Amino acid sequence: MKIGLIGTGWIGEEHVRRLSGQVSGAEVVAVSDIDPERAAAVAAPAGARVRATAEELIADPEVQAVVVTSWGPAHAGQVLACIAAGKPVFCEKPLTTEAADGLRILEAEQAHGKRLVQVGFMRRYDAGYRAIKAVLDEGGIGAPLMAHCAHRNPTQPESYHSDKPMVDTAVHEIDVLRWLLGEEFASVQVVVPRSTSKRFPHLVDPQILLLETESGARVDVEVFVNCQYGYDIQCEVVGETGTVRLPDPAAPLVRTAGRASTAVVQDFPSRFADAFDVELQEWVDSLRSGEPAGPSAWDGYAATVVTNAAVEARRTGTVVPVDLPERPAFYK
Ligand code: NAD
Ligand code: ISE
């Protein structure tokens, strides 16, 4: 599968490296970025061409499928251009920053008649989350009633602002809990504890999302992006007859100097490295045998509707309904 990639920033470079190395059956033949020097630096080790614009890359006859790793606000136009060209597109999260743009993608893909879009919600490919999904699907803890989640980053740069905990960070829990519980969210509220002193002054941190699903299950997500001590992802689902908890990454227990300790992972590239590998391999495999099978444009749209509602909930201090239209039969 000959791939073109748009947006050669941090994750774009990681995905070029993966697609040129670990992932079998894939080759990156072209890249593009609004920063041509950056594009050239990422293209060189992969032996890829640099295309001057995203439009030129999508139109390149050698490019069979596209990866979009540009900034969130650029995703919608680039994904729509891929659909117009009839080319499969893997788009990093978020699919769109505005829900209205997500609707345009759903309409365009349905008009095309078959799935082209996959969204980069890589937690669905993490071994621990997949094990939780298997327990839930086989009824191992009965009907799920609650989930308690924490999403902690050690620090964030100054550019990270107070909507980002929802739009950039908790979007992962929003997607993975929709997938684990097999239903949509109906409402969201944001509760704000005292802020940490270890943050840029403009940022509200931590924040707690309180979500309710259509059937009345409750999910709480603590988003704490300046926790200092590491990159820590926690998830426990409580059902009628038991609970299931996301395992921490395997790490040796060290006993020395009167203490027993295990290291905490420091960043998301290490925590989810295997999930990123599996995600891109399964995407390439699905394209070679048909159409993408991972998180769909509907999943990307639904997540954005929830994050948009969460932003409003924090700003207004109210419980905000998640205004989701009926899921089209195309995405069932
Ligand atoms: P980044 O800022 O390092 O890179 C973004 C790149 O896109 C930059 O090189 C920029 O020049 C380029 N760009 C911006 N607008 C463009 C346009 N219109 N056309 C072409 N190139 C354009 O950011 P990043 O950390 O690599 O994040 C990129 C995307 O990946 C974001 O949507 C982010 O949310 C997502 N991401 C996902 C995960 C995950 O865990 N799945 C992790 C990190 C980032
Ligand atoms: C980043 O964009 C990611 O997607 C990471 O998975 C998340 O943990 C981090 O908070 C985001 O900024």
Side-chain angles (χ1 to χ4, degrees):
M1 183 64 52
K2 293 188 189 306
I3 292 168
L5 179 140
I6 304 168
T8 50
W10 179 80
I11 207 166
E13 183 174 22
E14 287 278 298
H15 284 352
V16 167
R17 186 183 51 72
R18 282 199 164 82
L19 289 163
S20 310
Q22 290 96 319
V23 174
S24 67
E27 181 190 355
V28 179
V29 294
V31 303
S32 172
D33 196 290
I34 48 171
D35 176 349
E37 283 177 20
R38 176 74 193 161
V42 172
R49 283 189 294 284
V50 174
R51 288 292 185 188
T53 64
E55 293 72 25
E56 277 182 35
L57 180 137
I58 293 164
D60 183 334
E62 207 192 358
V63 169
Q64 297 172 295
V66 178
V67 172
V68 172
T69 46
S70 56
W71 291 326
H75 291 178
Q78 292 167 352
V79 169
L80 283 165
C82 291
I83 296 172
K87 295 193 179 181
V89 52
F90 174 96
C91 180
E92 261 307 334
K93 45 69 51 173
L95 175 61
T96 66
T97 47
E98 297 304 321
D101 288 333
L103 273 183
R104 290 166 58 216
I105 291 173
L106 296 180
E107 281 159 14
E109 190 176 39
Q110 289 175 84
H112 174 77
K114 78 186 248 275
R115 268 196 66 184
L116 290 173
V117 179
Q118 179 163 326
V119 183
F121 287 128
M122 79 298 186
R123 291 201 187 175
R124 297 187 188 203
Y125 300 86
D126 174 74
Y129 278 110
R130 284 187 160 184
I132 294 183
K133 176 80 173 147
V135 169
L136 294 176
D137 287 354
E138 71 195 14
I141 60 163
L145 307 174
M146 295 173 275
H148 309 297
C149 310
H151 188 151
R152 303 192 187 117
N153 295 183
T155 56
Q156 283 287 355
E158 192 164 8
S159 58
Y160 189 100
H161 56 76
S162 293
D163 292 345
K164 290 241 177 190
M166 285 75 100
V167 172
D168 204 37
T169 299
V171 66
H172 286 294
E173 274 76 15
I174 288 164
D175 176 69
V176 86
L177 266 299
R178 286 181 58 252
W179 175 68
L180 288 174
L181 301 179
E183 58 174 332
E184 301 293 354
F185 287 115
S187 74
V188 57
Q189 180 182 5
V190 177
V191 175
V192 178
R194 183 163 70 89
S195 275
T196 172
S197 63
K198 299 184 185 309
R199 74 193 202 285
F200 289 103
H202 62 77
L203 182 65
V204 178
D205 182 42
Q207 302 186 25
I208 301 169
L209 275 71
L210 300 174
L211 297 138
E212 183 170 19
T213 68
E214 286 171 336
S215 74
R218 301 297 303 230
V219 175
D220 52 272
V221 186
E222 172 207 307
V223 184
F224 184 16
V225 298
N226 289 284
C227 80
Q228 309 295 306
Y229 71 87
Y231 184 79
D232 194 6
I233 302 299
Q234 300 293 329
C235 175
E236 182 185 31
V237 182
V238 181
E240 288 180 347
T241 58
T243 78
V244 56
R245 182 185 279 272
L246 185 70
D248 282 328
L253 177 66
V254 178
R255 293 170 197 268
T256 185
R259 303 188 71 83
S261 61
T262 51
V264 177
V265 174
Q266 291 300 300
D267 51 44
F268 65 84
S270 331
R271 173 64 181 83
F272 288 113
D274 292 348
F276 283 123
D277 289 350
V278 176
E279 174 186 46
L280 289 180
Q281 184 65 67
E282 291 194 10
W283 177 63
V284 168
D285 291 348
S286 72
L287 297 189
R288 290 161 83 201
S289 59
E291 38 186 85
S296 67
W298 173 262
D299 294 313
Y301 167 70
T304 297
V305 172
V306 179
T307 59
N308 286 181
V311 167
E312 185 187 339
R314 185 187 63 80
R315 291 182 183 172
T316 59
T318 58
V319 179
V320 174
V322 172
D323 190 13
L324 206 54
E326 196 180 335
R327 186 179 181 129
F330 186 86
Y331 295 106
K332 280 181 179 147

